[in-house]
Amino acid sequence: MTRPNILLLMTDQQSASAMSCAGNPDVRTPAMDGIAAAGAHFANAYCTYPLCIPARESLLTGRMPSAIGYREWGDAIDSAYADQQLGVLFRDAGYDCVYGGKLHAPTNDATQHGFRQLCPQDDNLLADACIAYLREAREPFLMVASYDNPHNICEWARNQPLPWGNVPPVPTEDCPPLPANFAIPPYEPQPIRLIQHGHPPAYPMADATPDQWRQYRHAYFRLVEQADRGIGRILDALRAHGLDDNTIIVFTSDHGDGHGAHRWNQKSILYEEIVRIPLLIQLGRQAPSAGQVCPALASHLDILPTLCDYAGIPAPPGIAGRSLRPFLEGEDAAAWRDAVIVETWPFQGDPGRTLGRMVRTERYKYAVYSWGQYREQLFDLAADPG
């Protein structure tokens, strides 16, 4: 495959488990499942930071948020790395770089990231804008199609109208069950609940009943399905215009959502539902990795070097990510990493300005917060995956 097209599909706030190809019986995601069936499903992929802006800036640069100057909500990428972003690298290499939907950067100006803007953040317009582009696409192209949903679960939890369409209510008995890890664990780090109860606009589910949590899970999965339908329309157009053979498709999300695990909604902390993300990669129609579920520890950091590798574009020196190409082509990855790192800074409504760090190895996960009782957590994920 030479000079492949790139289609990067994104959702916002989607946990790795919120796909039917991940074995979840409570959600139907045929478009995402189709990418997994024709490509590789990285089942142990992580964001670098469980919050929108730093996670996306990290993905675009292949560097940890702390390495590119992220310290506070709304911080921009350090100017030293402005010309090392995904869109700039591909634009300068001759790609037609276009961006549709949610950018969620401090300026929300796609041109500052190397892209032409196809359409603003609007889940109801995004697929149509991408389909219109694909009718007359200039190859090679790098197209990002970024959905806001299932982020609208934030509005749902606050009982606000949802921007891209409401979720019809159903009887509680028709809602998904509570997760097996619904309980708050013993010896949980103290800052977590203080933050949750201290900022109701972000965490309105703090005192929700089990039935309310089941309704939340129902709404969350329906919002994932809304995004999946739009993704399916884009993929149909890619095939209809004969572009699928020479297009690498990547699907991911910026971070996850608690959706009831440990009675948590939203993001920012270091539980698995929040930091583990979907990552699916398909190499054209005849992918050697078709149907593979890859257990390797992957990260947002790996997307930029992987795409650079396939496009023949030198990756910037000093980036933290690595190309996933060996896994995608059925080869052994020599000396692959044995751990992934996630970091987090002050949460919304956090008077203690809590810092957090997490390291995940093949079997264990260690998290530490900067203050409070029981501020360390150690999990054996083989014995206790929840």
Side-chain angles (χ1 to χ4, degrees):
M1 184 186 293
T2 60
R3 300 285 283 178
N5 303 313
I6 309 294
L7 173 58
L8 174 57
L9 300 160
M10 289 192 69
T11 55
D12 191 304
Q13 207 158 311
Q14 181 176 347
S15 297
S17 61
M19 303 183 292
S20 39
C21 62
N24 189 330
D26 299 314
V27 65
R28 290 191 67 254
T29 52
M32 298 169 195
D33 298 352
I35 301 171
H41 176 186
F42 290 87
N44 290 312
Y46 286 80
C47 68
T48 57
Y49 191 122
L51 200 62
C52 308
I53 290 177
R56 291 166 185 268
E57 291 182 347
S58 180
L59 185 155
L60 290 174
T61 60
R63 300 176 188 270
M64 294 296 290
S66 56
I68 54 175
Y70 189 86
R71 292 293 183 275
E72 300 285 350
W73 172 255
D75 279 355
I77 294 171
D78 189 298
S79 59
Y81 304 108
D83 62 350
Q84 298 180 19
Q85 300 176 73
L86 180 68
V88 176
L89 293 170
F90 274 70
R91 180 198 64 194
D92 292 351
Y95 272 71
D96 189 29
C97 297
V98 294
Y99 200 110
K102 187 169 190 173
L103 179 58
H104 214 147
T107 63
N108 279 322
D109 180 359
T111 63
Q112 294 193 12
H113 299 273
F115 296 93
R116 291 188 292 111
Q117 188 84 41
L118 282 182
C119 73
Q121 179 178 321
D122 189 324
D123 281 17
N124 295 332
L125 298 178
L126 179 55
D128 288 339
C130 292
I131 291 167
Y133 173 82
L134 291 172
R135 290 193 194 104
E136 301 177 356
R138 179 171 70 81
E139 299 184 77
F141 62 79
L142 164 60
M143 182 168 76
V144 181
S146 180
Y147 278 87
D148 183 31
N149 269 323
H151 188 279
N152 286 179
I153 196 63
C154 299
E155 286 84 2
W156 185 94
R158 294 190 291 261
N159 199 28
Q160 295 173 312
L162 308 191
W164 322 122
N166 289 327
V167 175
V170 299
T172 301
E173 57 266 27
D174 295 334
C175 292
L178 296 172
N181 59 354
F182 178 65
I184 296 172
Y187 308 108
E188 182 185 66
Q190 183 183 25
I192 290 177
R193 297 303 147 180
L194 294 177
I195 293 163
Q196 185 186 45
H197 285 89
H199 192 48
Y203 307 105
M205 299 293 291
D207 298 312
T209 67
D211 283 357
Q212 288 171 325
W213 276 112
R214 290 184 64 187
Q215 291 283 349
Y216 182 102
R217 287 168 59 79
H218 166 77
Y220 181 69
F221 293 139
R222 302 297 78 77
L223 293 170
V224 171
E225 291 171 350
Q226 282 186 20
D228 186 79
R229 286 192 289 272
I231 289 169
R233 292 184 61 216
I234 296 169
L235 295 176
D236 287 346
L238 191 77
R239 289 186 286 267
H241 295 294
L243 297 167
D244 52 324
D245 274 350
N246 192 39
T247 299
I248 295 174
I249 301 168
V250 179
F251 169 71
T252 191
S253 190
D254 54 353
H255 52 75
D257 179 271
H259 62 291
H262 312 302
R263 293 178 176 254
W264 191 263
N265 75 293
Q266 284 265 17
K267 48 251 183 177
S268 294
I269 61 172
L270 300 172
Y271 285 132
E272 285 291 281
E273 291 76 12
I274 298 159
V275 295
R276 197 160 58 88
I277 51 165
L279 180 58
L280 313 173
I281 304 179
Q282 177 184 341
L283 303 178
R285 189 184 301 172
Q286 302 297 327
S289 55
Q292 173 190 357
V293 178
C294 181
L297 293 170
S299 168
H300 272 160
L301 299 172
D302 302 324
I303 292 175
L304 181 146
T306 300
L307 297 181
C308 284
D309 190 357
Y310 277 103
I313 299 171
I319 61 172
R322 295 179 59 185
S323 174
L324 295 166
R325 188 168 186 163
F327 299 110
L328 295 169
E329 299 189 358
E331 302 171 1
D332 290 332
W336 188 252
R337 69 169 64 93
D338 58 7
V340 290
I341 304 294
V342 181
E343 54 192 16
T344 189
W345 269 281
F347 310 159
Q348 293 170 297
D350 175 10
R353 302 186 61 76
T354 307
L355 311 180
R357 298 290 186 275
M358 181 205 104
V359 58
R360 157 78 200 269
T361 66
E362 180 181 359
R363 178 166 181 173
Y364 295 102
K365 172 176 166 175
Y366 171 76
V368 60
Y369 296 90
S370 57
W371 68 279
Q373 286 186 307
Y374 315 123
R375 66 189 188 96
E376 296 174 280
Q377 293 176 300
L378 178 65
F379 300 95
D380 180 343
L381 293 176
D384 181 17

